[in-house]
Structure formats: C-alpha cells, structure tokens
Amino acid sequence: MAHAVPTRGTSTGARTGAGTGASGASGHTPPDVFGARTHLLAQWAMPLAIGLVYGYWAASIRRHGGPITGWNLLFGFMTVLAFAILWYVVRAVADRLPREGHAVLWGAFAGSALGFLYSGSGVAMFTCVLVSLLLAAAVAAGLYYHYATHQDAEEARTARTRNPVRTGST
C-alpha cells in the first residue's frame, strides 16, 4: 500500500521555524520542545547532578568498603562542590575560546577528574597519570572533531544562505 509523502505547506508537512536565522539550508528548523526556562534549569542542574554522582563515587573509593563516617560524607560533599564549581568555570571559559582551546580545556577537565578518582584507589602514580592523559587526549580529539565538523558545516550553511549560488545562463 503506497502513501503520499507530505509536502511543505500542507497540514502534515508544515514548516516549523521558517524565516528564522537559525534555519538550515533547507529552511527547516527542528521544533524546540522545551522552553528557555527549562533549558536554563538543565544548564545549571546537570553539573550538580553529575557532581553528586562523582562525589558519591569519590567518597566510596576513599572509604575502601568501610563504614560511612561523617568525614567521608564531608569529603563527598566537598568533592561535589569542587566538581560543580570547576564545571561551571570550565564551561564559562571554554565558550570564549576557539575550538582547539575549547576541546583541550574539556579534555583536561575530564582527564583531571578521572585522575583524581583513580589516584584514590591506590594505584601507582605513573598508571594514574598515563590513564588520565589518555582520556584527556581522547576527549580533546573527539571534541575537536565534533566542533570542527559542526562549525564548518554551520559556516557553510550561513554562507549559502547569504550568497545563494545562481545556476543557469543569464
């Protein structure tokens, strides 16, 4: 059984966000399901939630399977606080950097975070540093690739919309 494909301008194929500056080469912008308030809340709540998991993990590594103590809880909450503050600082500074610096800064943050957790487990310092550097390099390379491909594509789309290519003879 064949079905017709909806076209632009019909009730099932209506364009969303047409005429906005954020639209791509086709003029189609995906709808924003959440409002600005939800995005702002997620932007501030996500580092705190990840920091809580990180702090719990650091505290559980430090106690080595022993009983939970007040000092262990304090260590966990101080780790949460340090992690969340560093996340906010890295995010604020990284937004002002070019894509290379942006990727390297987030790679250094990820490597340092892993190194802190891994060093608490009692492994040799050389192993800890090596694993942290490998993670930092992998994160930096992956983010550089992501930023380079997405920014280049965005710049190309912007150039096409500003200077459309004319085909045919005049």
Side-chain angles (χ1 to χ4, degrees):
M1 192 171 185
H3 296 281
V5 176
T7 59
R8 289 188 186 146
T10 63
S11 61
T12 57
R15 294 173 68 180
T16 57
T20 62
S23 62
S26 65
H28 176 73
T29 311
D32 189 9
V33 179
F34 302 111
R37 183 176 177 191
T38 306
H39 284 289
L40 183 64
L41 178 67
Q43 181 181 7
W44 287 99
M46 187 179 72
L48 188 60
I50 294 172
L52 284 170
V53 172
Y54 185 83
Y56 173 75
W57 193 359
S60 68
I61 289 172
R62 184 168 182 184
R63 65 185 173 93
H64 298 291
I68 297 174
T69 63
W71 291 112
N72 189 251
L73 287 174
L74 180 65
F75 176 76
F77 283 117
M78 289 294 116
T79 305
V80 170
L81 184 65
F83 183 87
I85 288 172
L86 283 173
W87 181 301
Y88 296 133
V89 169
V90 167
R91 186 175 60 195
V93 171
D95 288 342
R96 294 179 177 91
L97 295 175
R99 62 182 165 215
E100 297 87 4
H102 195 133
V104 167
L105 187 59
W106 278 109
F109 177 74
S112 299
L114 176 70
F116 177 73
L117 287 178
Y118 199 41
S119 68
S121 65
V123 298
M125 191 54 64
F126 177 76
T127 307
C128 177
V129 170
L130 181 66
V131 169
S132 298
L133 286 175
L134 288 174
L135 178 73
V139 168
L143 286 177
Y144 176 75
Y145 174 77
H146 173 77
Y147 295 139
T149 56
H150 283 72
Q151 285 176 351
D152 289 346
E154 185 177 313
E155 290 168 2
R157 279 194 296 273
T158 304
R160 275 197 306 262
T161 58
R162 288 185 184 163
N163 302 321
V165 177
R166 295 181 185 179
T167 58
S169 59
T170 53

